[in-house]
């Protein structure tokens, strides 16, 4: 880059106008070839790109002049669709690991009319020399006719339109194949397994759910999850001879297949397997996950009713995996999604228990505040499990008597009862949330120690953050980054002083807002 105060725009008539409108024509140069080169930077909000013109006298060199206000700027080049930085100019990494060039433009000193005229004449002489063929490599040759003005700020409607357009384009042009890791492990449970063994298998593998394989049909017939085990434990408890305690015999009396059949009767008819294939677009996968309100779906190599060799289980597709793909794609230009810079409390995302005001330029109306469901330490575990199922949520915050956040209790915590066959030793009418949390923490610590902190799946319980908190003024981008972490299913918006929960922002809330 080069800048020349002599090419300044006409001086405003007043000193205040001069301070407000001063810009410095700054020439950017790309010397390393390409067919099409564009410039993008903080001065375009990382949204718009500025085409650069090839320099006829120097093949492979592209140039553009941009009017920039004094101050600090970051920028990058897009060469034939690839983000590049110029290593010959000042550059620096950002917190996400991206490398951007940077420059600082000083405010030019005021000049007298005669001095300014002399400087402009000098600039014209240099331009005439270059047009005449003299070597003046590195000096501005574009004049002022191709300069751009200072970019005006976007309003919320424009930010939303730009962001959603780019997100939708990404989702439609990328497939579920990108969700499959280079290496990993998938777990299948045989439908003939007793539910007790399936219960223990989920705990041992550190996962909250797994696909079910029916050997008689040579097909994957469904999923079994922590939510299913809550249903199973509640039903077995109601039919057990010892109503307050479950025995191993009670758990061994039913297989996964039998449980599936009973569930079909209760739901009045069979349900089709929800699955995706590698060639499906990420838009299709995202819509399926949001609409069905499931946390994960099997990613199969073929149709479920095809031959066994044609329906291999490749992975489990999740919304967090799609967000992670989105982050990777825009990692070099995160600011090209301008809506992500908005604070959470300005957006129609999540369930909020505190009042908020809708911005005048917002293309949406913020939903009314609602009570956030929560648990206390003395809440009976049976009530907590029932509330999780009725509210159709994956977790609930646990508060003290003053309403401050202590922890969360999640559906997946039920898996912790498999450790040491705890489910058979509990008097269910007496267990509280406090005791259940103690069991969950000790089970997680024991599992981590046994596995040496090795996670076996994207939704591994060992990697789950129990209460991931955020403030209301943090950006949507921060929320997206945290929800991209495997196992993080929701963020709790917490007031700094009181630790009161102001809102719950779930993974599905954010994805529904961005993807639809």
């Amino acid at each position: 880059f080069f800048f020349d105060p002599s090419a300044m725009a006409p001086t405003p008539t007043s000193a205040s106008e001069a301070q407000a409108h001063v810009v410095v024509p700054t020439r950017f140069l790309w010397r390393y070839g390409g067919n099409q080169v564009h410039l993008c930077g903080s001065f375009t909000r990382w949204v718009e790109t500025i085409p650069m013109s090839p320099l006829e006298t120097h093949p492979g060199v592209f140039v553009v002049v941009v009017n920039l206000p004094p101050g600090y700027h970051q920028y990058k080049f897009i060469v034939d669709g690839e983000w590049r930085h110029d290593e010959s100019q000042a550059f620096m990494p950002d917190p996400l690991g991206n490398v951007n060039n940077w420059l600082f433009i000083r405010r030019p000193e005021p000049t007298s009319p005669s001095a300014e005229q002399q400087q402009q004449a000098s600039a014209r002489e240099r331009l005439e020399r270059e047009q005449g063929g003299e070597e003046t490599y590195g000096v501005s040759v574009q004049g002022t006719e191709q300069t751009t003005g200072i970019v005006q700020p976007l309003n919320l409607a424009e930010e939303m339109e730009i962001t959603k357009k780019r997100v939708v384009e990404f989702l439609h042009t990328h497939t579920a194949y990108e969700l499959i890791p280079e290496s990993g492990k998938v777990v299948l449970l045989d439908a003939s397994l007793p539910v007790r063994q399936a219960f223990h298998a989920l705990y041992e593998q550190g996962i909250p759910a797994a696909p079910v394989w029916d050997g008689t049909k040579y097909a994957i017939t469904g999923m079994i999850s922590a939510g299913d085990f809550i249903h199973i434990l509640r039903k077995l408890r109601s039919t057990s001879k010892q109503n307050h305690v479950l025995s191993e015999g009670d758990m061994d009396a039913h297989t996964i297949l039998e449980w599936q059949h009973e569930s079909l009767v209760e739901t009045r008819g069979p349900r089709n397997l929800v699955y995706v294939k590698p060639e499906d677009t990420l838009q299709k996968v995202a819509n399926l996950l949001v609409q069905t309100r499931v946390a994960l779906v099997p990613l199969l190599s073929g149709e479920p009713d095809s031959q066994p060799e044609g329906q291999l289980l490749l992975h489990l597709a999740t919304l967090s995996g799609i967000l992670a793909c989105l982050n990777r794609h825009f990692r070099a230009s995160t600011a090209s999604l301008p809506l992500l810079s908005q604070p959470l409390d300005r957006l129609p995302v999540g369930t909020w228990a505190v009042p908020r005001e809708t911005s005048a330029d917002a293309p949406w109306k913020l939903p009314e505040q609602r009570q956030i469901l929560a648990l206390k330490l003395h809440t009976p575990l049976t009530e907590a499990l029932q509330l999780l199922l009725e509210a159709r949520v994956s977790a609930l915050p646990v508060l003290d008597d003053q309403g401050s956040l202590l922890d969360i209790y999640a559906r997946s915590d039920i898996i912790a009862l498999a450790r040491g066959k705890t489910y058979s030793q509990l008097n269910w009418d007496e267990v509280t949330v406090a005791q259940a949390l103690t069991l969950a923490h000790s089970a997680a610590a024991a599992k981590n120690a046994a596995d040496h902190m090795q996670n076996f799946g994207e939704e591994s319980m060992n990697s789950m953050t129990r209460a991931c908190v955020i403030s209301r003024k943090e950006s949507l981008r921060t929320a997206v980054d945290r929800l991209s972490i495997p196992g993080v299913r929701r963020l709790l918006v917490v007031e700094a002083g009181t630790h009161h929960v102001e809102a719950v922002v779930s993974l599905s809330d954010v994805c529904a807002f961005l993807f639809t």
Side-chain angles (χ1 to χ4, degrees), residues 266-341:
E266 293 177 358
T267 56
R268 298 181 181 180
R271 292 182 296 178
N272 295 328
L273 175 68
V274 178
Y275 68 97
V276 294
K277 295 181 294 184
E279 61 269 25
D280 290 336
T281 66
L282 290 182
Q283 182 70 66
K284 180 178 179 180
V285 180
N287 290 342
L288 185 65
L289 287 165
V290 170
Q291 292 169 5
T292 59
R293 298 185 66 179
V294 296
L296 40 80
V297 295
L299 177 52
L300 306 180
S301 60
E303 299 293 340
D305 55 357
S306 63
Q307 293 299 315
E309 60 271 16
Q311 54 157 323
L312 298 176
L313 175 64
L314 302 177
H315 192 54
L316 295 176
T318 64
L319 287 174
S320 63
I322 297 176
L323 277 185
C325 283
L326 187 74
N327 266 348
R328 287 194 297 270
H329 181 77
F330 290 100
R331 181 172 57 185
S333 58
T334 53
S336 63
L337 303 178
L339 190 62
L340 268 60
S341 64

Side-chain angles (χ1 to χ4, degrees), residues 63-137:
V63 66
V64 70
V65 179
V66 183
N67 283 351
L68 297 182
Y72 171 80
H73 305 277
Q74 292 191 43
Y75 64 96
K76 209 160 186 173
F77 302 93
I78 306 175
V79 184
D80 296 334
E82 181 181 355
W83 288 89
R84 303 276 298 276
H85 70 279
D86 187 349
E87 295 186 358
S88 68
Q89 303 294 335
F91 62 88
M92 62 182 293
D94 67 12
L96 297 177
N98 309 311
V99 179
N100 300 328
N101 289 114
W102 66 272
L103 75 160
F104 182 80
I105 297 180
R106 299 182 183 278
R107 183 177 295 276
E109 296 293 334
T111 57
S112 64
S114 58
E116 182 177 352
Q117 292 171 359
Q118 293 174 2
Q119 291 172 347
Q120 292 176 346
S122 177
R124 284 194 298 271
E125 291 175 2
R126 291 196 300 270
L127 180 58
E128 291 171 357
R129 286 200 306 271
E130 177 149 357
Q131 291 174 338
E134 295 185 23
E135 286 291 334
T136 56
Y137 190 77

Side-chain angles (χ1 to χ4, degrees), residues 200 203-204 248 415-425 443:
H200 283 264
Y203 170 72
E204 293 298 330
E248 290 188 36
I415 305 298
L417 298 182
R419 181 184 177 227
K421 304 175 184 178
T422 305
Y423 55 83
S424 64
Q425 304 168 16

Side-chain angles (χ1 to χ4, degrees), residues 49 191 204 218 272 362-363 435 474 487:
T49 59
E204 293 298 330
Y218 294 97
N272 295 328
Q435 293 170 310
E474 290 193 74

Side-chain angles (χ1 to χ4, degrees), residues 376-392:
K376 296 294 185 66
L377 290 175
H378 56 74
T379 302
L381 179 59
T382 53
E383 291 185 15
L385 297 178
Q386 181 176 353
L387 187 57
L388 282 169
L389 294 177
E390 291 178 349
R392 299 188 66 184

